[in-house]
Amino acid sequence: MIDRKRGDTNMRAKFPGKLLPYLFLLPTIIVCGLFIYYPAAMTFRTSMYQSLFFGARQRFVGLQNFTRLLSSPAYLRSMGITLWFAFLVVVIGLSVSLLVAVLLNRKLLAAKALRVALVWPYALSPAVAGTIWLFLFNPHSGLVNYLLDLIANKKPDWFSQPGLALSMLVVTAIWNNFGYNLVFFLAGLQNIPDSFLEAAEVDGASFWKQLFHVTIPLLSPTIFFLLVININYAFFDTVGMVDVMTRGGPANATNMLIYQLYKDGFQNFNSGLAAAQSLILFVFVVVLTLLQFRTTGRMVHYGG
Amino acid sequence: MRRNMRSLVFAVLLVFVLGVAAAAAPVKVTFWHSMGGDIGKAMEAMIDTYNASQSEVYVESVFRGTYPEVLNATIASAMAGTAPTVVQIYEVGSLAAIDSGVFVPLSEFIGPDDVDWNDYVDAVVNYYRQGDIQWSMPFNSSSAILYINADMFRAAGLDPANPPKTFSEIIEASKAIVESGVAPYGITWPLHTWFVEQWMAEQGVALVNNDNGRSARPTTINTDTEEMYRIFNWWKQLYDEGLWINPGVEDWDQANALFMGQQVAMEITSTSDVTFLTNAGREAGFEVICAELPVPDDVPRQGVVPGGASIWMVANNPKEELEAATKFLIWMSSPEQQVTWHQSTGYFPIRKSSIALLEEEGWFTENPNFRVALDQVLETIPGVGTQGALIGRFQEVRNILEEAFQMVMGGTSVEAALAQAKAQVEQSFADYNSLF
C-alpha cells in the first residue's frame, strides 16, 4: 500500500516552473488566436470604420455604422423578416421532422431504405438545394405550378409576390435541413426504452397522447439541441439559397439579415457596415440562445 | 583526367539543357473571367488557339462566376497577395477597379507602336480611358437589342419586317400578341438596371450628375427626371397589363428560357446572345429577328452605352508576367480574333478593321441579325449620356433601382419609389466620396 502510494508520487512527473502547461496549450492558443480571436477583433475594429475595398481605404466613424443600421427602417424590416423566417423554419421544420422520425421509428417495411432516402437532402449545400427548388417553383415550367394547375387551376408567380417568395424559401430551407433533424430525432428515439411506450399503450394512450406525454418529454434534450442548431441554420446558412432563388426580392421581402450583410460586404465594398451587421447578428443570436437556455432549457429533462 | 573530362561534358550539357528549358518555358499568365455557358466555350477555344500558336506565353484561364463576383474576388485576393495576372472586369466596375488601387494601367506596358488605338471603335475605347491613361484592354462589348419571334408575330397579325421601334409600339405589339392568344405574355427582359441605363442614354441624358461621373465622382442620381419617369411608367404599364413577364432580378438565363419556351414573342437582352438565341430559335422551329432597342416616343434616338467588359492587369505581379500578359491582350483584341469572337457570340467587334473584314466576307448580308447589333453602336451619337456613367459602387445603385421597380410592382407609386431610391443612392455616394 505504502509502496504503491510512494510509487504514485514518484511517478507523477514534476515539471519546473509554471510555464510548461502554457507550452502545451500553445498550439490551441495559436490556432484559436489566428482563426477566431484575431478575426473577431478585426471585425470589432472594422465596424468602427467607413471602409472601402476590404480596408484599402478607411475612415474612423465611431458608432455611426451601428446608429445608421438601427435607425434604418429597411434594416429593421429585414430583421423582422429574418425573425419570422427563422420562426417558421424552426417550428414547422422541427414538427414535421419529429413526426416523420416517430413514424420511421416503427417497424416498417424498408425502414432503413426510407431513412437513407429522407436523410439525403442534407448532403446538398443550400445553394444547390436553392437551384433545385428554383426549377420546381418556376411559374411556367415548374412541377409545383404544374400540380397546382391540375388541382386548383392556379399558377401563382412565386417570384413576384412577397408572401409567396418567402414561403418558397421556407419550404426549401426546411427541406434542406430535414435530414439533419431526422438523424438526431431517430437517434434520440432509439434511446427511449420500448417498455415506456408499451406501458403507455397498455394504459390505452392514443398515438398523439404517447407522442406528447411520453416521446416528446423524453426527447427534450434532442429537441433543445436541434432548436439551437436550427435557429443558427435559419439565420446564417440560408444566404446561398436566398441568393440563388430571390436575391432578397421582390422589393426586399426576402432580404434576410445575412443576405444584406453579404451584399454590403461583397457587392458594395462596404466592409465597415458589413462588420457592424455581423456584430449585431452575433449579439442577436447570443441573446436568443441565452433566452432559450433560460426558458426552454429549464424544461429539458436529461433523465437519470 | 577522363573522369574530369566526363564531368566537364556533363556540366556543359547540364547548363545547355537548363538554359534551353529556361528559354523555352513559357511565362504563365493567369486569367479570371466571367464567360459561362456557350460564350465561355467560345472564349476557352480562343485561349487554346493562342496557347497553341506560340510558346512564349501560356494562359491559364479560370471561370470565376458573375461579373460582380470576379471584381470582388480580384480585389480581395490582391489584398491577400494571391491575385491573378489579368482579369475581365465589367464596364460598370471600372471606377471601382481604378479606385481600388489594385490595377496597373495598360498604357504603362503598351508602347506607342504596339497598338493602333485609332483602329478601335471610339465609343468602346473611350469608355476605358481617363485622359491619357488607357486603363484596360477592351474585349467584349455589347448593347441591348430587341429579339423577335417572327413566327409568333405573323400569327398575331404583326409584320416582323416592321418591328416595334418605340415604347408605345411595344405596348401595341404586346397587346396584339396576348389578345390573339399566340403567347401568354408579349415581352420580357431581366429585371435589371442595365436596361434603364440604356434607355437614359437613348434619351441623351446622364444617369448621375457631374457629367455622368466623368468630371468628378457623382453625388446624386437623376431619378427624379422626366426621362426616368418615362421609363418606369412604361415598364409599370407593361407589368400592370400583364404584357411584360418578370424573369427575376438580373436573371438573364430565365429571360432567355421564356423566349425560347415561347412564353413571350419578344425579348430585350444583350447582343452577346445573338448567336445563341438565333440558333435556339432555329432548333425550336421559329425564326428570330433582331431589331434596335425600342426608345421612348417622340425622343430622337441617341444611341446606347457600350456594355460588356474589358481586361485589366493586376499591379502586384512580376514585370515579365505583365509583359507577357500584354502580348496576350493585344492578341485577344486583334482584328482576326475579334472576328472569331463576334461570329461565335454576337459581341460586336471592337476593331474597325474587323468590321471591314466581316463586310468583305459578306457576313452581315448572310446574318442580318448581327448587323443590327453593330449598327446600333456605330450610329450612337457621342455625348454625356451615351458615354455611360462612372460610379464606384455601381452594383449598389443597380440593386437600389431594381428594388425601386419591384416596389412599383408591389403598388408603390413610381414617384415615391424613385424618390426613395434617390435618397439611398445619395447616401451611398456620400459615403463613398468621404473616403477620397
Side-chain angles (χ1 to χ4, degrees):
Chain A
M1 275 299 264
I2 295 166
D3 275 347
R4 203 207 263 170
K5 235 180 193 171
R6 203 200 272 161
D8 270 354
T9 43
N10 281 346
M11 276 174 69
R12 189 175 295 154
K14 275 197 176 162
F15 297 111
K18 289 179 178 168
L19 273 175
L20 200 69
Y22 294 100
L23 193 68
F24 287 139
L25 279 176
L26 200 60
T28 314
I29 291 174
I30 290 177
V31 169
C32 287
L34 220 60
F35 294 105
I36 299 174
Y37 300 121
Y38 174 71
M42 287 304 285
T43 308
F44 269 97
R45 186 182 168 277
T46 310
S47 71
M48 302 286 184
Y49 284 81
Q50 175 73 254
S51 90
L52 205 51
F53 310 125
F54 310 102
R57 285 182 173 271
Q58 52 186 16
R59 182 171 63 93
F60 184 77
V61 290
L63 293 175
Q64 191 206 54
N65 285 328
F66 293 96
T67 51
R68 229 191 239 175
L69 283 170
L70 295 174
S71 62
S72 142
Y75 191 71
L76 297 177
R77 181 168 164 243
S78 165
M79 206 177 259
I81 292 166
T82 311
L83 278 176
W84 177 230
F85 172 76
F87 175 79
L88 291 175
V89 169
V90 172
V91 171
I92 303 177
L94 285 187
S95 315
V96 175
S97 47
L98 175 62
L99 201 64
V100 173
V102 169
L103 294 175
L104 269 184
N105 200 39
R106 304 184 147 202
K107 289 179 179 63
L108 284 175
L109 201 69
K112 278 189 180 156
L114 271 176
R115 276 178 213 169
V116 172
L118 285 165
V119 172
W120 221 317
Y122 183 63
L124 301 174
S125 79
V128 175
T131 311
I132 293 174
W133 284 87
L134 190 66
F135 284 116
L136 293 177
F137 276 110
N138 185 303
H140 313 286
S141 52
L143 186 68
V144 174
N145 272 10
Y146 175 74
L147 294 176
L148 277 178
D149 197 26
L150 282 185
I151 301 165
N153 203 18
K154 280 202 171 94
K155 278 185 140 184
D157 185 352
W158 295 89
F159 298 90
S160 298
Q161 292 178 34
L164 290 181
L166 192 69
S167 40
M168 178 173 78
L169 280 176
V170 169
V171 169
T172 311
I174 290 174
W175 179 81
N176 193 213
N177 215 31
F178 183 77
Y180 184 86
N181 294 338
L182 198 65
V183 167
F184 277 88
F185 276 136
L186 279 173
L189 284 171
Q190 277 162 13
N191 280 333
I192 300 176
D194 287 346
S195 53
F196 287 15
L197 290 168
E198 278 161 18
E201 203 153 338
V202 169
D203 285 346
S206 67
F207 172 79
W208 295 107
K209 279 217 164 119
Q210 283 181 36
L211 184 67
F212 283 106
H213 295 288
V214 182
T215 313
I216 291 184
L218 285 171
L219 266 185
S220 55
T222 311
I223 296 176
F224 182 60
F225 166 76
L226 285 178
L227 209 57
V228 177
I229 295 290
N230 274 269
I231 286 181
N232 277 290
Y233 166 76
F235 265 82
F236 296 107
D237 289 353
T238 44
V239 61
M241 212 173 272
V242 176
D243 191 43
V244 168
M245 295 181 79
T246 64
R247 290 179 190 245
N252 284 337
T254 59
N255 193 28
M256 313 288 169
L257 291 176
I258 188 78
Y259 190 63
Q260 182 61 42
L261 193 164
Y262 162 75
K263 280 199 290 190
D264 280 328
F266 296 101
Q267 291 194 339
N268 305 337
F269 311 110
N270 205 336
S271 333
L273 202 63
Q277 289 178 48
S278 78
L279 286 179
I280 291 176
L281 256 177
F282 168 71
V283 171
F284 218 70
V285 171
V286 167
V287 169
L288 265 178
T289 313
L290 280 180
L291 267 178
Q292 278 174 345
F293 272 99
R294 284 284 171 84
T295 55
T296 336
R298 285 203 181 127
M299 293 190 273
V300 172
H301 175 66
Y302 285 98
Chain B
M1 188 62 198
R2 250 176 72 187
R3 232 169 82 205
N4 278 351
M5 265 306 276
R6 222 197 273 161
S7 19
L8 188 71
V9 170
F10 183 70
V12 167
L13 263 175
L14 194 72
V15 167
F16 182 72
V17 168
L18 284 179
V20 169
V27 183
K28 198 173 121 187
V29 166
T30 12
F31 174 37
W32 286 3
H33 66 83
S34 291
M35 306 277 87
D38 283 359
I39 298 178
K41 280 180 207 149
M43 185 170 213
E44 295 294 340
M46 278 173 77
I47 292 168
D48 288 344
T49 311
Y50 179 68
N51 283 335
S53 72
Q54 43 76 50
S55 56
E56 289 176 328
V57 186
Y58 179 79
V59 179
E60 186 185 86
S61 65
V62 185
F63 171 69
R64 283 295 306 237
T66 63
Y67 282 138
E69 282 165 5
V70 170
L71 173 58
N72 172 66
T74 308
I75 295 175
S77 64
M79 306 284 288
T82 56
T85 330
V86 280
V87 194
Q88 185 190 27
I89 304 277
Y90 65 156
E91 85 284 25
V92 298
S94 297
L95 186 58
I98 295 169
D99 284 343
S100 72
V102 162
F103 299 95
V104 56
L106 181 69
S107 44
E108 285 188 15
F109 288 87
I110 285 189
D113 302 326
D114 292 343
V115 169
D116 178 15
W117 289 116
N118 291 327
D119 188 45
Y120 286 70
V121 173
D122 301 326
V124 179
V125 78
N126 287 340
Y127 193 101
Y128 304 104
R129 181 173 280 171
Q130 257 191 343
D132 287 339
I133 305 173
Q134 181 70 39
W135 274 99
S136 57
M137 180 60 91
F139 174 63
N140 54 318
S141 269
S142 61
S143 64
I145 50 167
L146 177 69
Y147 293 80
I148 291 168
N149 182 325
D151 294 71
M152 279 187 162
F153 255 55
R154 286 183 206 108
L158 296 161
D159 178 14
N162 184 21
K165 290 180 187 67
T166 62
F167 279 8
S168 52
E169 284 174 27
I170 287 282
I171 292 180
E172 283 162 30
S174 299
K175 275 186 183 155
I177 289 151
V178 174
E179 279 161 15
S180 62
V182 168
Y185 301 92
I187 189 166
T188 192
W189 64 85
L191 203 166
H192 199 307
T193 304
W194 187 57
F195 300 98
V196 177
E197 294 157 25
Q198 298 299 329
W199 282 312
M200 290 296 271
E202 286 283 18
Q203 301 178 72
V205 288
L207 183 67
V208 293
N209 69 343
N210 291 339
D211 302 320
N212 237 351
R214 300 251 166 198
S215 56
R217 288 191 183 82
T219 58
T220 189
I221 185 165
N222 297 327
T223 47
D224 51 351
T225 56
E226 196 191 336
E227 287 85 4
M228 185 66 89
Y229 290 149
R230 248 180 225 144
I231 301 166
F232 266 61
N233 282 326
W234 168 69
W235 193 356
K236 174 182 156 57
Q237 190 190 345
L238 281 169
Y239 175 72
D240 286 347
E241 296 182 11
L243 302 173
W244 173 80
I245 169 82
N246 176 17
V249 176
E250 302 200 358
D251 199 334
W252 305 94
D253 295 340
Q254 188 59 35
N256 282 348
L258 288 166
F259 183 71
M260 294 184 296
Q262 314 209 34
Q263 301 285 324
V264 293
M266 294 180 278
E267 181 190 1
I268 300 176
T269 192
S270 167
T271 51
S272 60
D273 279 337
V274 169
T275 307
F276 175 68
L277 287 177
T278 311
N279 291 342
R282 196 174 298 139
E283 277 163 31
F286 63 87
E287 186 193 354
V288 176
I289 289 182
C290 293
E292 289 194 333
L293 183 69
V295 292
D297 305 43
D298 309 322
V299 175
R301 186 186 287 274
Q302 298 288 312
V304 287
V305 183
S310 63
I311 307 177
W312 293 65
M313 304 216 289
V314 180
N316 193 14
N317 276 308
K319 196 163 174 267
E320 55 158 15
E321 207 174 299
L322 291 173
E323 279 164 356
T326 311
K327 288 180 194 156
F328 168 59
L329 298 192
I330 293 173
W331 185 86
M332 287 288 267
S333 71
S334 67
E336 298 77 24
Q337 295 315 314
Q338 282 292 316
V339 167
T340 311
W341 179 238
H342 167 75
Q343 289 177 332
S344 49
T345 58
Y347 281 111
F348 55 81
I350 54 164
R351 299 291 291 260
K352 291 168 191 163
S353 47
S354 317
I355 301 170
L357 282 175
L358 286 162
E359 269 167 355
E360 242 170 68
E361 216 182 274
W363 168 258
F364 293 118
T365 356
E366 283 164 38
N367 303 282
N369 281 351
F370 288 88
R371 179 86 240 177
V372 174
L374 185 64
D375 281 350
Q376 187 170 268
V377 176
L378 297 178
E379 284 162 11
T380 293
I381 302 161
V384 71
T386 52
Q387 201 182 2
L390 277 184
I391 300 173
R393 285 183 179 135
F394 213 129
Q395 193 58 41
E396 187 173 21
V397 172
R398 283 188 165 172
N399 290 347
I400 290 169
L401 284 181
E402 282 152 12
E403 274 160 41
F405 188 72
Q406 292 175 71
M407 284 169 65
V408 170
M409 286 163 65
T412 311
S413 76
V414 167
E415 286 76 9
L418 285 174
Q420 191 186 321
K422 190 180 175 90
Q424 284 174 289
V425 171
E426 282 178 354
Q427 173 84 72
S428 159
F429 285 176
D431 286 349
Y432 189 91
N433 297 344
S434 76
L435 291 164
F436 291 91

